[in-house]
């Protein structure tokens, strides 16, 4: 297979698309059994490229190379590691248009949104390059007169990363940046739908002089075999996973035998609450952003929109007007706001949620039209949503906005928290006492107050309840890749 012309023709640097995997110190073009899998453009259905379908043996080789590379990498100074990461960051920025083109081609999101993701991903590299020099330990006043107590923070070792298809650049960026900054090595497996973006980063890592073996990208048709290898391989010290709660549970079970350290960024079911004192226009804009970014395929997407009764009709009227103007189309068309969903089963899930809600009495105000066999789904708004509907309990992961009506603050807090997920939550209000009450009461890791955009490299990202373990980004994000060691120095003078 040769990379499809529709992708190559758009690239300034065609060498950024590779039909190979980075296994430790080598680029591997063919699997030993010759198996391959295709990467599709979800807008057009064309096959963009074909990649070797690697096996557990290849992952094992990458882990062994990573172990060797990590031993030297961790000895470098923070300043030296930072310089490597900043070279990579520079190339990431310089090639932003091409990286965004690859991302739109394999994932479908609008090009401007894809470019935003590339810059967002690069920001993690810059942030953690800066942090590499500041991995401070501690000195603790000792418990006896002739002792001294030191606390060291040490790189955990070889980290395996498994990432989803919805943010093929940013999800790997949030992991590889802190891991390499503190002195770890990483073996990554991107989702089978969107591996080209991660492979392009590996090409740039080579150009930046990131030492061989430190960042592997294993291409595989399915994640299960890789998951079994990394949960059972004693040379993997930690697994960092972003994806569904279901797969997170599998990794936890598999990792139990070796008490594998886990970082889990899992599913969400975000409430988005509009109180009667909110600025309605900005609440509508916030809801559009929080609901429809990436066609509703983000873990922090507003999944349930609760609007207070007295402003319900006014909010709905403005919101529906805005939604009707969101253009659906190929991500390379300049005015597209909503691209395709990633695959047919995602389309089927959204349709199932719409049908289930309507069967239970919800009213369709816009969208919901049949998609004619493509991956495109019209942005859809329904009102009259209630707790027994699938839209209330499951992550829709598509452009469906269900609106629930509520009367008072305590009622909506209870409704918002009635989910096993706890990643993000949003609300619009002006009253300060109400803002603190609701922000503190929401059982989530991230709260957006009067904003629909919450992700940034400078703040800790992660969930509570069944949305995961650990945090990515900010000064807390390095901790996931560090172990704390305490040294008790006896025999000192009193
Ligand atoms: P997914 O089905 O869980 O897949 C995620 C990754 O796990 C893919 O690379 C997949 O590989 C791999 N995988 C699948 N089965 C596996 C197994 N048994 N063992 C090891 N790896 C396995 O999730 P998705 O559909 O790609 O992504 C959507 C989900 O991710 C949503 O629930 C979303 O909320 C969540 N998400 C969370 C965050 C966050 O930060 N909390 C961010 C983004 C997305 P293959 O696909 O190649 O099999």
């Amino acid at each position: 297979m040769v990379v499809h012309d529709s992708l190559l023709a758009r690239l300034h640097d065609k060498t950024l698309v590779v039909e190979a995997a980075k296994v430790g110190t080598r680029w591997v073009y063919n699997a030993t059994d010759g198996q391959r899998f295709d990467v599709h453009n979800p807008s057009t259905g064309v096959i963009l490229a074909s990649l070797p379908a690697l096996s557990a043996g290849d992952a094992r080789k990458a882990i062994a190379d990573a172990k060797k590379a990590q031993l030297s990498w961790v000895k470098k100074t923070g300043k030296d590691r930072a310089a490597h990461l900043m070279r990579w960051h520079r190339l990431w920025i310089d090639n932003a248009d091409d990286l965004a083109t690859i991302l739109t081609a394999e994932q479908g999101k609008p090009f401007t949104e894809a470019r935003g993701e590339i810059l967002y991903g690069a920001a993690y590299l810059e942030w953690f390059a800066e942090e590499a020099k500041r991995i401070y330990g501690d000195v603790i006043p000792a418990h006896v007169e002739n002792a001294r107590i030191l606390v060291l923070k040490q790189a955990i070792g070889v980290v395996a990363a498994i990432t989803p298809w919805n943010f093929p650049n940013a999800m790997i960026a949030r992991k590889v940046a802190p891991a390499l900054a503190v002195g770890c090595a990483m073996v990554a497996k991107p989702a089978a739908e969107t591996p080209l973006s991660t492979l392009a980063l590996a090409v740039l890592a080579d150009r930046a002089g990131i030492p061989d073996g430190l960042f592997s990208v294993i291409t595989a048709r399915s994640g299960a075999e890789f998951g079994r290898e990394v949960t059972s391989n004693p040379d993997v010290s930690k697994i960092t996973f972003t994806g569904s709660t279901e797969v997170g549970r599998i990794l936890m079970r598999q990792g139990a035998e070796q008490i594998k350290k886990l970082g889990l960024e899992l599913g969400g079911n975000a409430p988005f609450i509009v109180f009667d004192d909110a600025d309605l226009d900005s609440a509508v804009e916030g809801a559009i952003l929080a609901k429809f970014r990436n066609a509703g395929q983000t873990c922090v997407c507003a999944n349930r929109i609760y609007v207070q009764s007295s402003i319900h009709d006014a909010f709905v009227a403005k919101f529906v007007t805005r939604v009707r103007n969101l253009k659906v189309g190929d991500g390379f068309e300049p005015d597209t706001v909503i691209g395709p969903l990633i695959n047919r089963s995602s389309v089927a899930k959204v349709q199932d949620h719409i049908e289930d809600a309507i069967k239970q009495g919800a009213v369709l105000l816009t969208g919901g039209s049949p998609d004619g066999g493509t991956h495109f789904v019209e942005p859809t708004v329904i009102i009259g949503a209630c707790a027994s509907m699938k839209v209330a309990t499951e992550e829709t992961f598509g452009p469906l906005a269900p609106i629930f009506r509520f009367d008072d603050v305590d009622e909506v807090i209870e409704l918002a928290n009635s989910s096993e997920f706890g990643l993000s939550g949003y609300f619009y209000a002006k009253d300060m006492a109400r803002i603190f009450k609701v922000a503190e009461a929401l059982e989530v890791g991230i709260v957006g107050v009067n904003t629909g955009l919450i992700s940034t490299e400078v703040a800790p990202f992660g969930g509570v309840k069944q949305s995961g373990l650990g945090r990515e980004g900010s000064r807390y994000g390095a901790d996931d890749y560090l172990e704390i060691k305490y040294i008790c120095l006896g025999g000192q003078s009193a």
Side-chain angles (χ1 to χ4, degrees):
M1 169 79 192
V2 179
V3 178
H4 198 272
D5 280 345
S6 62
L7 172 55
L8 283 184
R10 292 178 188 276
L11 294 173
H12 304 288
D13 180 351
K14 299 180 193 338
T15 63
L16 288 175
V17 183
V18 282
E19 291 184 294
K22 182 81 195 287
V23 181
T25 55
R26 292 185 309 130
W27 283 95
V28 171
Y29 291 83
N30 293 299
T32 38
D33 62 3
Q35 294 289 308
R36 304 188 76 77
F37 66 100
D38 296 331
V39 181
H40 295 86
N41 178 328
S43 282
T44 60
V46 303
I47 297 174
L48 295 169
S50 136
L51 289 167
L54 299 187
S55 64
D58 299 292
R60 220 169 293 138
K61 169 83 177 74
I63 293 162
D65 283 357
K67 193 177 174 191
K68 275 191 220 133
Q70 195 262 335
L71 290 176
S72 321
W73 180 244
V74 74
K75 289 189 189 132
K76 291 187 185 298
T77 61
K79 187 170 176 163
D80 196 354
R81 287 198 299 271
H84 281 80
L85 294 184
M86 285 310 288
R87 282 201 296 276
W88 197 11
H89 172 258
R90 188 68 257 156
L91 291 170
W92 198 307
I93 299 280
D94 290 348
N95 290 278
D97 282 347
D98 279 348
L99 293 175
T101 297
I102 295 167
L103 208 169
T104 293
E106 67 176 350
Q107 203 278 336
K109 67 180 64 175
F111 179 78
T112 41
E113 222 179 286
R115 204 170 185 285
E117 180 181 336
I118 303 300
L119 300 182
Y120 170 69
Y124 280 86
L125 209 55
E126 182 186 44
W127 171 272
F128 283 106
E130 289 160 351
E131 285 295 285
K133 294 177 265 184
R134 301 186 185 97
I135 306 301
Y136 300 142
D138 215 346
V139 180
I140 295 178
H143 56 309
V144 287
E145 287 180 357
N146 64 349
R148 301 291 182 270
I149 291 178
L150 309 179
V151 176
L152 306 186
K153 289 195 179 172
Q154 295 184 310
I156 196 163
V158 174
V159 178
I162 303 174
T163 49
W165 48 262
N166 62 343
F167 288 90
N169 181 287
M171 295 303 102
I172 191 67
R174 293 204 313 208
K175 298 177 185 309
V176 72
L180 265 55
V182 304
C184 295
M186 178 162 279
V187 177
K189 194 218 74 73
E193 290 91 342
T194 57
L196 300 176
S197 292
T198 312
L199 290 164
L201 295 181
V203 171
L204 295 180
D206 279 0
R207 287 185 200 165
I210 302 291
D212 267 344
L214 214 56
F215 179 49
S216 284
V217 181
I218 302 296
T219 54
R221 183 176 286 123
S222 115
E225 193 179 349
F226 183 82
R228 280 191 295 274
E229 176 59 31
V230 297
T231 46
S232 61
N233 189 320
D235 287 335
V236 174
S237 304
K238 169 159 186 137
I239 297 160
T240 170
F241 170 75
T242 299
S244 61
T245 296
E246 192 189 337
V247 174
R249 274 191 206 103
I250 293 174
L251 293 171
M252 260 189 131
R253 269 189 225 113
Q254 289 175 354
E257 194 60 35
Q258 293 182 14
I259 316 292
K260 212 56 107 181
K261 304 274 184 296
L262 287 172
L264 300 174
E265 293 285 349
L266 307 176
N269 181 359
F272 185 105
I273 307 166
V274 188
F275 288 102
D276 55 10
D277 61 337
D279 176 325
L280 269 201
D281 289 326
S282 60
V284 166
E285 286 315 306
I288 295 282
L289 275 175
K291 176 67 252 180
F292 294 109
R293 200 160 56 96
N294 199 15
Q297 304 170 108
T298 82
C299 52
V300 290
C301 260
N303 206 54
R304 301 166 283 156
I305 302 179
Y306 295 100
V307 185
Q308 200 153 11
S309 288
S310 58
I311 51 151
H312 177 273
D313 295 353
F315 175 87
V316 168
K318 283 174 187 269
F319 185 62
V320 168
T321 306
R322 276 289 278 120
V323 172
R324 287 200 176 116
N325 286 324
L326 300 175
K327 178 155 181 299
V328 181
D330 188 309
F332 287 116
E333 285 167 18
D335 48 355
T336 292
V337 181
I338 299 198
L341 298 194
I342 193 72
N343 53 34
R344 292 293 305 158
S345 63
S346 297
V347 175
K349 185 174 188 189
V350 178
Q351 284 174 335
D352 176 46
H353 280 198
I354 296 172
E355 281 162 26
D356 169 74
I358 289 171
K359 228 181 271 162
Q360 295 195 52
V363 177
L364 179 73
L365 295 186
T366 186
S369 54
D371 62 80
T374 69
H375 292 192
F376 295 100
V377 175
E378 290 291 327
T380 301
V381 181
I382 55 173
I383 54 170
C386 66
S388 61
M389 296 173 181
K390 289 181 182 173
V391 289
T393 52
E394 295 177 21
E395 190 182 25
T396 304
F397 237 53
L400 165 61
I403 299 184
F404 303 69
R405 192 188 272 267
F406 74 93
D407 289 313
D408 68 63
V409 180
D410 292 325
E411 175 199 0
V412 80
I413 289 172
E414 196 179 327
L415 286 168
N417 287 341
S418 61
S419 167
E420 77 255 31
F421 297 108
L423 185 57
S424 61
Y426 308 81
F427 64 94
Y428 276 69
K430 284 195 191 122
D431 178 74
M432 278 311 285
R434 181 182 275 180
I435 286 176
F436 273 99
K437 176 179 168 128
V438 179
E440 286 169 8
L442 287 179
E443 294 168 356
V444 295
I446 310 160
V447 183
V449 186
N450 296 324
T451 177
L453 265 187
I454 47 178
S455 299
T456 159
E457 78 282 7
V458 306
F461 189 104
V464 302
K465 293 159 95 176
Q466 293 182 37
S467 286
L469 299 171
R471 292 293 180 271
E472 292 188 333
S474 81
R475 68 187 164 87
Y476 303 103
D479 292 344
D480 271 31
Y481 300 91
L482 292 164
E483 291 282 25
I484 289 178
K485 182 183 281 173
Y486 141 54
I487 301 173
C488 186
L489 272 178
Q492 307 301 304
S493 56

